[in-house]
Amino acid sequence: LFFKGKYSSNELILILTKIMASTLRLEDLTQKTLHQLLTTARIERGSFIIFQKNAASSVIHEGYSHEPAYDKETISRLAALRKIVLYDEEEDESFKDLMRKHDCLVVLPLFDRESGEGVLLLGEKKSGEIYSQQDVKLLQIFGPEISVAIRNAKSYDEISKFNITLREEVDRATKDLKVANE
């Protein structure tokens, strides 16, 4: 009963790493990792806000009764973060209000080198406990890994879109050439 909320950080990191290594599409990557993280760490809800040029391009969420909405001011405040923010340890009352408004107790900025890939917002734990040192260490390891995976997934999506455009251009040029030959 006392250890019901416990999990193995190493096993969770291993599972998340396997998901990140085997998933190419951005939406699949964020959905699968979010689901696994929430389920294993027993967290009520969470959402990924993925950035494109410092603007939110997509929001993947789980556990919310309604779809969370984030305005430009919220996105810019979240994009400026450089460290994990825990509600219980935050001193800035305006930022605590922002976290309260969006039902989150943890904000994990996702950075790859200098570029912000997004942010992960996590709600309370199902057990009602506060986030432990184990949870924070897990997020410190997970953050950089998922940031690289998100950047790679964005690149994959970009290349896929470029290939579709290129294929359409080749088809159009082939059709024009056929007409010209006739």
Side-chain angles (χ1 to χ4, degrees):
L1 180 65
F2 292 112
F3 297 104
K4 189 176 179 183
K6 300 296 179 199
Y7 60 92
S8 169
S9 297
N10 292 337
E11 287 179 22
L12 180 53
I13 288 292
L14 180 63
I15 293 167
L16 292 172
T17 301
K18 285 180 181 177
I19 292 170
M20 289 183 272
S22 65
T23 309
L24 293 174
R25 290 189 55 241
L26 181 61
E27 188 172 332
D28 294 341
L29 172 72
T30 51
Q31 283 179 341
K32 288 177 181 179
T33 55
L34 182 62
H35 178 74
Q36 189 65 49
L37 181 63
L38 296 180
T39 303
T40 305
R42 293 174 181 85
I43 299 170
E44 285 285 335
R45 67 186 153 278
S47 63
F48 274 107
I49 303 171
I50 306 301
F51 301 149
Q52 285 287 11
K53 299 179 179 106
N54 281 342
S57 66
S58 64
V59 175
I60 305 298
H61 61 89
E62 184 175 320
Y64 287 89
S65 58
H66 60 283
E67 185 167 339
Y70 305 99
D71 57 31
K72 284 187 176 191
E73 180 188 346
T74 300
I75 299 300
S76 64
R77 287 190 74 185
L78 295 173
L81 293 175
R82 297 286 182 202
K83 64 180 177 73
I84 297 175
V85 177
L86 300 171
Y87 180 83
D88 295 329
E89 296 176 6
E90 181 59 32
E91 295 174 4
D92 181 356
E93 285 300 321
S94 68
F95 200 81
K96 283 180 99 165
D97 289 341
L98 177 72
M99 292 175 76
R100 204 175 300 117
K101 175 184 172 188
H102 293 291
D103 291 328
C104 69
L105 295 179
V106 176
V107 179
L108 175 64
L110 305 173
F111 280 90
D112 180 39
R113 295 185 199 120
E114 287 300 312
S115 66
E117 300 299 334
V119 67
L120 173 62
L121 305 177
L122 298 173
E124 64 271 354
K125 299 194 71 155
K126 290 181 179 180
S127 65
E129 298 174 345
I130 62 170
Y131 280 82
S132 67
Q133 197 60 31
Q134 174 192 16
D135 299 323
V136 173
K137 287 201 181 295
L138 171 84
L139 293 172
Q140 288 171 337
I141 294 168
F142 175 66
E145 286 186 12
I146 192 68
S147 298
V148 171
I150 287 171
R151 183 177 45 88
N152 290 343
K154 285 179 182 177
S155 297
Y156 176 79
D157 287 350
E158 204 173 285
I159 289 169
S160 296
K161 288 175 185 173
F162 178 74
N163 283 340
I164 290 169
T165 304
L166 188 60
R167 190 175 305 121
E168 289 170 354
E169 289 292 321
V170 168
D171 288 346
R172 189 173 16 258
T174 303
K175 186 178 176 183
D176 292 345
L177 188 59
K178 207 177 221 183
V179 168
N181 281 339
E182 287 175 1

